[in-house]
Amino acid sequence: MEYDIILAGVGGQGVLSMAAIISMGAMEDGLHVRQSEVHGMAQRGGAVLAHLRLSSRPISSDLIPRGRAGMILSLEPLESLRYLSYLSPGGGIVVTSKNPVKNITVYPDLEKLYDTIRDLEQSKLIDAEGEARKAGTVRAANMVMVGAASGCLPVKPSDLEKAIAGLFKSKGKDLVDVNIEAFRMGQRS
Amino acid sequence: MSNMVLLGDEALAIGAVHAGISAAFAYPGTPSTEITEYLIEYSKKHGAPIASWSSNEKTAYEEALGVSFVGKRVLVSMKHVGLNVAADPFMNSALLDIKGGLVLAVADDPGMHSSQDEQDSRYYADFARIICLEPVNQQQAYDMTREAFDLSEGFHIPVMIRLTTRLAHSRAVVSVSEPRQENPMEKTDNPRAWMLLPGYARKRWADLLSRQKDFLSYTEKTDHNELNLNDSNRELGVITTGLGHNYFMENFGDFREKPSYLHIGAYPVPVEKVRALVSHVKKLVILEEGYPFVERYLRGYLPPPIPVLGKETGEVPPSGELNPDNVRKALGLPEREQAEGAAVELPGRPPQLCAGCPHADTYFSLNEALAGYDRSIVTADIGCYALGALPPYEAIETIVCMGASVSMAKGSAQAGYEHVVAVIGDSTFLHSGITPLVDAVAGDIPMTVLIVDNETVAMTGGQETILPSSKLEPLVRGIGVDLDHIRTILPLKKHFDENVKIIREEVEYPGVSVIIALRECVETAKRKRRS
């Protein structure tokens, strides 16, 4: 089994926490994991891309070859379309938040973006911020997205929840509960 | 044995701890920062080793030499361009009689994710005539770091570990082994080998040259240089270095006939192994993450005995990073099918100053202050404030290297250009801005240094500046800048008019003036509130 995921978003949105949760959950499931991150200048409000590779065999490359990713998981609709060349033709899915980050002067027409995403072979558009707000905090939007992706991931949802609990443990039980709730909202959406 | 999930940087750090280091020094720089961040956290928890930031890479390296001088093991880390700053102690340290293991971890940034150039540190290891190890994964980063200390003590030289961005910033499971104890305190018994007087240094240099054959015999033997000859395929041979190995392996399964290959993970280059591969095949592809270091040596000036394909001939892109796709192409394998691109135009999203960033307010005031002049120059430096080059600020004109804002401003002003302002961050000023300010004061040069003090090393993730902000003003005063022309401004929208006025006054002043724009980084403030 090999499953490659491109994680996308804007610097500061929590792309790396999303990657960390899926990684931890996958390791709990006994999979090999490689997770390539972006640090430094590139994180300052710019486009952020992380490569996450899960496999039942050892993995050589930290980077995903183009045409191989099973999923693009994005926290931002424009960013979800930036890396389509990584997606496996006939089999890859784009799972993205529909909430835009408009920190650039010319942002494309949002409805047009949504239409483009809906026109892809397989896609899921999620109101991550809306669901996160219902769970308790808009900052858990990334956990909503992990939940929304979980149905396609080769990782048991219970292991993802365990990873969420582990990541937020030091910040108190309330935050653990909110993030797990956000994850479950994502699963249902 | 136990397992940990670690970044390449972190694997290297814990490898150093388990090798028994007593101390670690560094200046933050992407992609090397997480090595020392990990060690500082580790040290807080366990009480050892000493782990701290230094003013710059040169002081860090020299501090490390001091630790080695008393027989202890020490790690010094930096980014590739940081080694330019530390090049003086680094080059000379190859001549010393190292007994307390000294390992230099240097992280290169091919593709320039967060750097001004993509120089390849293997040239420095070669320049100093020392051993360099280059891991390809997190496990090797751990294992090689442990081994590097043994090599340093065995061969009495500093040893370099070279990382590149993708390994530094990628996570995987690492299995760690039993830690080794620290060395006992024992000052060198060979002080002549630490005093590089010409007479002594000549002997040390001859000695280093005479030991090159020992280094080579190590790299010919070590498993890090893996030669794999396929007797049923005499056509294609591949040499890989660094992450080129991983991308080669990613594509390896798609060869019907497996090529023979040599992976080089330890330098000096194992010449016999290279010869063995070349004599086995009819064509050679060289895949290196970084400059064509092995390739250029291998080509030399004379025509190669077989065709050699690489960065020099264009089959491999000569700049930027390798990846599974450009390596696949260089290997002559058919391109993989990809999903179609988006049917809408996607505007780029470059990095930018954060919402509420103090630098933004400083730049708006600076632009307004200089708007009335026909002639003005704004030199800038390395840090978040370099993003002032982009719209809507477009406030700066030069970004070269740490500290160059101040020295270049001095040069331009001395050449006779008017209204010259140097923009430099607090940490960059302490790294390399003080000495050129001394030059400016000594020459009584009409220029203004604008220290954008956000009380942190922001670009690399908010490390503590080596001195607190309260020390900046007395420092500048101590250098000899006139007290009346050391001004502090608070970069906030509501102070815009006042700040414009102050900047203009100091730009008009025909001598050295310093303005400190003081307001904490919004990201650092946020982090402090959360913790």
Side-chain angles (χ1 to χ4, degrees):
Chain A
M1 194 286 306
E2 287 169 357
Y3 198 79
D4 294 330
I5 308 159
I6 290 285
L7 295 128
V10 177
Q13 274 197 303
V15 170
L16 292 188
S17 313
M18 213 161 56
I21 295 298
I22 301 173
S23 293
M24 285 191 277
M27 275 183 289
E28 195 71 39
D29 272 11
L31 296 175
H32 292 271
V33 172
R34 286 287 191 101
Q35 178 192 330
S36 179
E37 311 176 350
V38 172
H39 297 221
M41 185 186 255
Q43 276 178 300
R44 295 276 165 274
V48 167
L49 162 69
H51 296 239
L52 180 57
R53 312 196 73 185
L54 316 176
S55 174
S56 48
R57 288 178 302 178
I59 303 160
S60 302
S61 165
D62 296 293
L63 299 180
I64 299 168
R66 287 178 199 268
R68 276 284 302 272
M71 180 188 292
I72 291 175
L73 177 54
S74 176
L75 288 171
E76 211 276 349
L78 165 60
E79 296 309 319
S80 77
L81 294 170
R82 210 182 282 287
Y83 311 105
L84 289 178
S85 63
Y86 283 100
L87 209 56
S88 165
I93 182 168
V94 172
V95 181
T96 182
S97 159
K98 63 192 298 187
N99 314 116
V101 177
K102 295 186 174 177
N103 66 350
I104 44 179
T105 37
V106 188
Y107 193 93
D109 179 67
L110 202 53
E111 282 308 319
K112 214 165 156 192
L113 278 184
Y114 292 159
D115 286 344
T116 312
I117 294 165
R118 287 192 196 103
D119 284 348
L120 298 170
E121 249 170 79
Q122 293 186 70
S123 66
K124 249 176 132 174
L125 259 173
I126 311 288
D127 179 10
E129 288 179 7
E131 296 296 316
R133 217 171 276 124
K134 282 188 230 159
T137 170
V138 72
R139 286 187 51 205
N142 54 351
M143 292 305 124
V144 172
M145 291 311 298
V146 175
S150 61
C152 302
L153 297 175
V155 184
K156 286 204 284 290
S158 58
D159 285 329
L160 292 170
E161 289 198 6
K162 217 190 265 177
I164 295 170
L167 189 73
F168 292 99
K169 195 174 59 192
S170 64
K171 293 176 182 165
K173 188 178 175 301
D174 286 355
L175 215 56
V176 170
D177 291 346
V178 167
N179 278 283
I180 288 188
E181 181 55 24
F183 171 80
R184 290 181 183 165
M185 305 282 265
Q187 269 184 309
R188 288 192 291 264
S189 59
Chain B
M1 298 286 268
S2 65
N3 288 338
M4 303 170 79
V5 179
L6 298 168
L7 289 175
D9 275 348
E10 296 170 342
L12 190 153
I14 194 75
V17 171
H18 290 174
I21 56 165
S22 300
F25 303 106
Y27 183 80
T30 313
S32 70
T33 312
E34 292 77 8
I35 299 171
T36 308
E37 286 201 318
Y38 187 88
L39 291 170
I40 289 172
E41 283 307 307
Y42 184 94
S43 180
K44 271 188 206 157
K45 247 184 248 158
H46 299 88
I50 294 159
S52 71
W53 301 114
S54 304
S55 286
N56 62 42
E57 293 83 356
K58 179 176 188 287
T59 62
Y61 201 99
E62 291 156 354
E63 287 153 18
L65 283 175
V67 174
S68 173
F69 186 70
V70 296
K72 300 275 196 175
R73 289 187 163 190
V74 61
L75 177 75
V76 54
S77 33
M78 56 197 64
K79 69 183 293 176
H80 57 341
V81 288
L83 185 50
N84 298 332
V85 178
D88 198 358
F90 166 70
M91 289 300 295
N92 297 335
S93 69
L95 303 191
L96 305 175
D97 182 26
I98 302 286
K99 298 239 169 83
L102 172 63
V103 171
L104 162 66
V106 48
D108 291 359
D109 189 17
M112 299 183 234
H113 293 272
S114 206
S115 303
Q116 311 89 272
D117 73 20
E118 55 177 24
Q119 66 187 57
D120 186 327
S121 299
R122 292 177 296 168
Y123 281 91
Y124 265 119
D126 185 56
F127 195 13
R129 307 299 297 267
I130 60 163
I131 290 173
C132 170
L133 301 181
E134 190 175 16
V136 299
N137 56 39
Q138 294 75 359
Q139 186 64 50
Q140 273 197 352
Y142 175 82
D143 294 334
M144 280 183 169
T145 303
R146 293 199 65 157
E147 185 187 348
F149 282 96
D150 297 336
L151 293 172
S152 172
E153 291 178 358
F155 289 118
H156 306 296
I157 48 167
V159 170
M160 177 190 290
I161 305 246
R162 178 196 187 228
L163 296 180
T164 47
T165 312
R166 294 294 176 181
L167 176 54
H169 288 165
S170 167
R171 276 176 216 280
V173 176
V174 175
S175 127
V176 301
S177 43
E178 207 47 47
R180 174 193 179 277
Q181 292 298 305
E182 289 183 33
N183 285 357
M185 185 87 80
E186 198 173 355
K187 195 169 87 175
T188 183
D189 54 2
N190 187 9
R192 281 194 180 190
W194 282 78
M195 291 188 284
L196 297 176
L197 280 172
Y200 297 164
R202 278 192 284 270
K203 287 200 187 80
R204 294 300 308 165
W205 175 232
D207 188 63
L208 178 64
L209 293 177
S210 75
R211 285 180 286 142
Q212 294 298 311
K213 60 179 188 317
D214 305 334
F215 307 165
L216 189 61
S217 100
Y218 158 73
T219 60
E220 292 285 4
K221 268 188 250 130
T222 174
D223 294 341
H224 303 320
N225 297 331
E226 183 199 357
L227 176 64
N228 200 314
L229 298 179
N230 178 2
D231 284 328
S232 63
N233 180 6
R234 307 290 300 245
E235 293 301 316
L236 178 63
V238 178
I239 292 180
T240 60
T241 74
L243 301 187
H245 171 78
N246 299 356
Y247 307 136
F248 173 54
M249 282 302 152
E250 181 73 27
N251 288 297
F252 196 68
D254 294 342
F255 281 104
R256 210 167 296 145
E257 278 296 338
K258 305 297 178 212
S260 299
Y261 64 88
L262 168 63
H263 173 70
I264 302 176
Y267 306 81
V269 170
V271 181
E272 287 307 325
K273 284 183 174 167
V274 172
R275 287 181 184 147
L277 177 67
V278 169
S279 65
H280 189 78
V281 297
K282 296 203 182 79
K283 187 172 86 176
L284 192 64
V285 173
I286 306 192
L287 303 168
E288 297 183 77
E289 184 78 306
Y291 283 15
F293 172 78
V294 172
E295 184 182 340
R296 289 182 66 193
Y297 267 108
L298 187 135
R299 285 182 195 283
Y301 291 115
L302 305 175
I306 57 171
V308 176
L309 281 50
K311 297 193 172 199
E312 294 278 284
T313 45
E315 286 80 7
V316 182
S319 66
E321 291 180 288
L322 297 181
N323 60 48
D325 305 306
N326 58 25
V327 161
R328 185 177 181 85
K329 197 165 167 222
L331 291 168
L333 291 167
E335 210 175 317
R336 281 198 186 88
E337 252 189 272
Q338 304 171 4
E340 264 176 65
V344 285
E345 200 163 321
L346 305 173
R349 196 190 301 260
Q352 50 189 284
L353 293 176
C354 307
C357 175
H359 300 330
D361 287 301
T362 301
Y363 279 136
F364 287 132
S365 311
L366 177 64
N367 281 350
E368 179 63 22
L370 296 176
Y373 302 119
D374 284 346
R375 281 151 72 101
S376 68
I377 288 177
V378 179
T379 59
D381 227 294
I382 310 299
C384 283
Y385 48 96
L387 295 170
L390 306 176
Y393 318 104
E394 299 178 277
I396 61 177
E397 296 168 273
T398 72
I399 303 163
V400 181
C401 67
M402 296 288 282
S405 60
V406 182
S407 1
M408 286 180 66
K410 188 216 171 211
S412 295
Q414 216 164 4
Y417 217 90
E418 294 101 346
H419 313 120
V420 182
V421 179
V423 177
I424 187 166
D426 47 333
S427 187
T428 309
F429 179 71
L430 293 166
H431 178 290
S432 285
I434 301 170
T435 40
L437 183 59
V438 171
D439 289 356
V441 169
D444 193 21
I445 307 299
M447 60 181 270
T448 302
V449 176
L450 177 54
I451 302 177
V452 286
D453 181 1
N454 57 4
E455 305 183 76
T456 188
V457 193
M459 180 60 92
T460 47
Q463 294 73 30
E464 223 165 279
T465 309
I466 196 87
L467 285 179
S469 290
S470 58
K471 302 275 188 198
L472 276 185
E473 194 266 346
L475 175 69
V476 169
R477 200 168 1 125
I479 290 171
V481 178
D482 187 342
L483 194 55
D484 292 340
H485 296 282
I486 304 173
R487 316 279 295 267
T488 299
I489 63 173
L490 179 58
L492 280 173
K493 232 181 229 114
K494 61 180 176 189
H495 298 304
F496 175 80
D497 292 333
E498 185 190 340
N499 293 344
V500 170
K501 184 170 159 279
I502 291 174
I503 295 172
R504 203 171 283 153
E505 280 168 13
E506 293 312 324
V507 167
E508 296 275 347
Y509 169 65
V512 179
S513 55
V514 173
I515 302 169
I516 302 171
L518 174 62
R519 178 153 75 83
E520 191 179 32
C521 165
V522 288
E523 283 295 313
T524 311
K526 224 188 277 172
R527 250 197 315 278
K528 276 189 199 158
R529 272 201 306 276
R530 269 182 217 159
S531 63

